[in-house]
Structure formats: structure tokens, C-alpha cells
Amino acid sequence: MTSNNPQTREWQALSNDHHLAPFSDFKQLKEKGPRIITSAKGVYLWDSEGNKILDGMAGLWCVAIGYGRDELADAASKQMRELPYYNLFFQTAHPPVLELAKAIADIAPEGMNHVFFTGSGSEGNDTMLRMVRHYWAIKGQPNKKVIISRKNGYHGSTVAGASLGGMTYMHEQGDLPIPGIVHIAQPYWFAEGGDMTPEEFGVWAANQLEEKILEVGVDNVGAFIAEPIQGAGGVIIPPETYWPRIKEILAKYDILFVADEVICGFGRTGEWFGSDFYDLKPDMMTIAKGLTSGYIPMGGLIVRDEVVAVLNEGGDFNHGFTYSGHPVAAAVALENIRILRDEKIIEHVHAETAPYLQSRLRELNDHPLVGEVRGVGLLGAIELVQDKATRKRYEGRGVGMICRTFCFDNGLIMRAVGDTMIIAPPLVITKAEIDELVAKARKCLDLTLSALQG
Ligand SMILES: *Cc1c(COP(=O)(O)O)cnc(C)c1O
């Protein structure tokens, strides 16, 4: 704890004494003390030391419309006064959840008109697992239980979410994955493509799905789940050949396809959903994050009409959460979607800021540390390497963490996934703010390179 500010020190002491932070090394956090974020506006955060920081990660990929929109606060306050809570369990409903379900059906891909609401993305994927198995049981095929997922995918942190995800460091804690979930290779050419071209590797990675279906037996496979673009895994943009080949395989076998849209949904790619961007036609889509721009927790599962028709024949679905479709969250989500729509934020990303960010980011390709710059929409990744030609990393140097720390100290939040730097700024970022982001990123790459050489 190095701060001279007594208020910061007091908050850090509270953290020390009472708080267990998610995805953190508790002991290390005690020694260093957390940075205390106190306010935010637009794409900027302020910490308790008075530093202004450009949030290149939109919080955790979620603050689509930017910080500080009073309309969302007003929607929450109004709904809290009118009906702060009621459940949806016993043949009741309330206006905000119904209006939100309709608003989501209006923007979702054609034929996806029903939504099951949850409190988070993880709960959305738990719901998916149970709904997929229930669906096949109703159809008289109860053996179709296995869900195929991908290594290094991220689907949340509940027991089912972490099992569906392919993060080995999560599996190691708590005996995961649970039975009935299997993983195939990810389409991460830069790290795993070897001597193949990206196009060859994309086909190879997609073919792993067919091999796994045949290995497990199609009569035992219920669904395949994937993020259109892996986010937490390192903003992994699949080679162009990947999704077309996956679609061919899915068309061949009778299994459900679930697109985890928790990051890609609500405009991140410059389309409403990643499934629109890649023309994926999923049977279910998990949503959260951008649904409320993170102003309040909410997630859900959007379900295709044909699947709902089967579920309608199945009697009770014995699943739900106290906060499923929470009225205050629903009112905030509705207002968030209204703003995205009325202010044409996604159209603006598509036509203006995404192309601008992508071209400006790629200027960093000339930097000696940079092995690849890739991105789609307002998602970007920068691979840090020792040797550009061979894609060789700086082994064991923690280059990503070094770079992330320089970023923090220079007023930019850029996340490190191993030695991959990633960004996902709010969708409302302007071109001038993109210039600032790229300039700061270059400065921090320079500082990182000097640190490695020093
Ligand atoms: C964040 C995330 C989740 C989990 O959402 P939570 O709200 O943290 O439970 C699931 N899937 C993807 C793709 C995510 O990025």
C-alpha cells in the first residue's frame, strides 16, 4: 500500500480486512492494495488518487453505452418506486419483463422470439445446459446429454459455466469439468496454427467438432456451444474458413447450436449479435453484459421458436432464479436497448468507429514487440512476441503483465491474457478517443520493450 492519500489507504484497509475479490490472488492483493475506482463518465474512469483513465475494456466488456447515462438511473429509480420486485414463478408477470422480452425478440435473429431471464451470463449458460437436456428428453432422446465446448472458451464461473468453459486454470480448482461436457481445440491460429495457413487451420479446427461428435456418438450429443469470437480467451478471431465449416458440420448432425453472445451481443461487432456478423443461425443465444451496459446485473437465454415448441410439450421446466427477469434490471435493459437503437450507436460503430479503430490499431504492427494485431468491430488484440516471423514469445517474462501495468500507470486500461493485450472499449468511443487509446498503447509498448531490454 503505497498511497499517500488517507482516503485511499482507508479503503485499501477495508479491502484487506473484509473483502474477497473475484479472480484474485488474495494474498498478493493484500500486499499491493486495490486501485479504488470512484467515478466514471463516457469512456473515462477516475480513481481515488484523482487519476483519469481511458477504459479500453468497457468495464468487463459490458459498458456499451458508456458511463454516466442518467436515463438508466432514472429508469431504475422509477421502476423501484413503482414495483421494485416481484417474481415470475407462479403464473405472474410484470410489464418491464414482458416489454423487454419483446424488445429483445425484435433485435434477435429471425425465429428467435423467446427469452428466459437470469441474473448473469453464467446463470444463462446453466439454464442452457438444463434446457438442452430437458429438450432432448421431451423429444424421447434423453441420452443426448453431452455438450461440446472449446478449450480456452469462457462461459462463466458457476460450476456449469466453468465446466463449459475451457479454462484449465479454472478446471484445476474444484474437480471440473462436471461429467457430460467435453472440449475441442480452439480456432486460435496465432498460438496454435503451427505451419498451417490460417485458412487451413480454420478448417482443421472446425473439423475437430465433427471428430468429437463421431467419437461421443451423435445420439449422445445435445449441443455445441461457442462464442462467435472468444473474448476472455484473448479476443480470438477465427480464421475465415472456420464458421462456414462449422455450419456445414452442424447442418449434418442433429444437435443444437448455442452461441454465447455475452460479449459479442448488443453491438460489439458492429451488428446486434455476433451471430448476425457470422450469419450463424443458433438455436439458443446466451446474453448478459451489454444487455444492461453493466449498470445492473442481468443475463438470459434467447431461444429459437422450434425449440420453444418442443419445450411447450414438456410440462414444467423445473428451473428458475429468484431474480429471473427482475423488474428493475428489466427496466434498465429496456432503456439501454432504446438508447442503442434510437441513437444508432451500433450503426455508428459499424460505419465509422470500428473501421477507424481497426485501421489505427493495425498501425501498431510496425512495433518490434508486436507479432499480430487483429480485431473485429470494437474488439482488438495485440500479440506480444520476441520474434515476429516465428511468433516466438518471450518465455517466462510476464510481458503481458508488464505492459498492463504500464498501461494502468499511463491512464489506459488494456487487459493482458498471457502475452496478448486486448481491448473492448465502450461502443460510444469517439475517433479522438480512439486516437488517444492507440497513442497510449504505443507508448506502453515502447515502455514494455525498454523494460525487457533494460
Ligand atoms: C462474462 C462471460 C460469461 C459469464 O457472465 P457472468 O455475468 O460473469 O456470469 C459467459 N460467457 C461469456 C462469453 C462471457 O464473456
Side-chain angles (χ1 to χ4, degrees):
M1 287 202 269
T2 48
S3 173
N4 298 319
N5 177 331
Q7 175 70 83
T8 301
R9 282 208 308 272
E10 193 180 321
W11 279 321
Q12 289 180 331
L14 293 180
S15 164
N16 239 341
D17 295 346
H18 303 293
H19 187 224
L20 299 175
F23 281 102
S24 297
D25 177 333
F26 298 153
K27 183 162 164 234
Q28 192 197 54
L29 189 62
K30 259 185 202 291
E31 283 154 11
K32 288 175 60 184
R35 182 186 288 264
I36 311 292
I37 304 298
T38 48
S39 66
K41 183 88 190 162
V43 300
Y44 293 100
L45 304 166
W46 280 265
D47 69 14
S48 59
E49 305 285 279
N51 296 305
K52 180 180 176 186
I53 308 161
L54 173 55
D55 186 2
M57 282 306 298
L60 269 179
W61 321 87
C62 50
V63 188
I65 63 168
Y67 297 97
R69 291 295 300 246
D70 287 339
E71 298 93 326
L72 268 58
D74 293 343
S77 152
K78 182 164 175 283
Q79 187 58 44
M80 272 195 189
R81 289 168 210 282
E82 209 157 281
L83 179 73
Y85 178 75
Y86 200 70
N87 76 80
L88 309 169
F89 282 25
F90 308 116
Q91 305 203 349
T92 54
H94 47 66
V97 77
L98 302 174
E99 283 165 27
L100 177 60
K102 162 79 166 100
I104 292 172
D106 285 347
I107 55 176
E110 208 185 321
M112 303 192 77
N113 289 300
H114 292 77
V115 191
F116 190 105
F117 288 103
T118 67
S120 67
S122 303
E123 289 176 12
N125 282 326
D126 276 58
T127 299
M128 178 282 293
L129 181 133
R130 301 194 58 201
M131 193 181 276
V132 163
R133 291 176 177 177
H134 182 51
Y135 166 88
W136 288 113
I138 297 167
K139 285 182 65 124
Q141 294 169 274
N143 288 336
K144 282 173 81 71
K145 283 197 174 87
V146 174
I147 317 278
I148 300 175
S149 180
R150 301 183 302 178
K151 291 177 185 156
N152 199 37
Y154 189 79
H155 299 297
S157 196
T158 53
V159 169
S163 296
L164 289 162
M167 303 293 183
T168 45
Y169 59 92
M170 292 174 77
H171 292 168
E172 281 160 9
Q173 296 173 341
D175 267 335
L176 303 178
I178 53 172
I181 293 171
V182 296
H183 297 84
I184 60 172
Q186 57 175 335
Y188 186 9
W189 175 80
F190 189 84
E192 299 176 2
D195 293 333
M196 283 186 251
T197 64
E199 292 71 28
E200 289 164 351
F201 178 71
V203 173
W204 176 87
N207 282 340
Q208 302 310 299
L209 174 61
E210 182 162 43
E211 286 188 19
K212 188 58 86 176
I213 293 171
L214 296 174
E215 178 195 319
V216 176
V218 68
D219 293 343
N220 298 316
V221 178
F224 170 56
I225 182 171
E227 300 156 83
I229 293 163
Q230 286 156 263
V235 180
I236 293 154
I237 315 287
E240 276 174 23
T241 50
Y242 182 76
W243 283 118
R245 178 70 190 122
I246 289 277
K247 281 164 64 179
E248 284 174 13
I249 296 165
L250 289 169
K252 208 161 136 190
Y253 299 97
D254 191 17
I255 66 173
L256 296 174
F257 172 48
V258 184
D260 186 333
E261 293 271 3
V262 173
I263 284 176
C264 291
F266 300 93
R268 182 55 58 193
T269 64
E271 304 285 344
W272 274 100
F273 294 95
S275 294
D276 300 322
F277 186 83
Y278 287 116
D279 190 25
L280 296 182
K281 310 234 182 336
D283 299 294
M284 299 178 179
M285 301 199 305
T286 322
I287 53 172
K289 296 193 172 122
L291 167 62
T292 57
S293 281
Y295 279 53
I296 200 163
M298 182 175 236
L301 188 67
I302 312 178
V303 185
R304 184 166 289 285
D305 297 347
E306 288 87 341
V307 175
V308 175
V310 171
L311 297 172
N312 283 341
E313 301 307 313
D316 280 356
F317 181 40
N318 299 315
H319 173 74
F321 303 102
T322 304
Y323 300 133
S324 283
H326 193 285
V328 179
V332 171
L334 257 176
E335 185 61 11
N336 178 58
I337 291 172
R338 187 197 66 71
I339 288 173
L340 284 170
R341 207 182 39 218
D342 291 0
E343 296 182 7
K344 302 203 185 321
I345 290 172
I346 298 170
E347 287 90 331
H348 186 70
V349 167
H350 181 99
E352 298 289 334
T353 44
Y356 189 71
L357 174 73
Q358 295 305 332
S359 85
R360 293 259 21 226
L361 265 188
R362 277 166 183 72
E363 290 170 18
L364 299 172
N365 263 318
D366 68 4
H367 195 278
L369 252 187
V370 174
E372 178 181 84
V373 178
R374 59 173 178 266
V376 152
L378 292 187
L379 286 165
I382 304 166
E383 297 282 4
L384 308 184
V385 292
Q386 186 166 20
D387 185 298
K388 282 172 181 278
T390 59
R391 319 204 289 273
K392 184 179 175 309
R393 305 279 191 190
Y394 278 97
E395 295 298 337
R397 300 286 300 272
V399 183
M401 289 308 281
I402 295 172
C403 185
R404 190 185 85 166
T405 305
F406 279 125
C407 288
F408 247 129
D409 294 343
N410 286 277
L412 172 66
I413 292 191
M414 185 154 70
R415 183 165 154 187
V417 178
D419 289 348
T420 312
M421 305 309 297
I422 59 175
I423 54 157
L427 303 188
V428 294
I429 193 169
T430 63
K431 288 183 180 175
E433 289 160 349
I434 289 172
D435 290 340
E436 181 188 339
L437 188 157
V438 174
K440 284 185 166 162
R442 181 177 289 279
K443 177 178 178 194
C444 295
L445 290 170
D446 289 343
L447 290 166
T448 306
L449 186 62
S450 320
L452 286 166
Q453 290 165 343

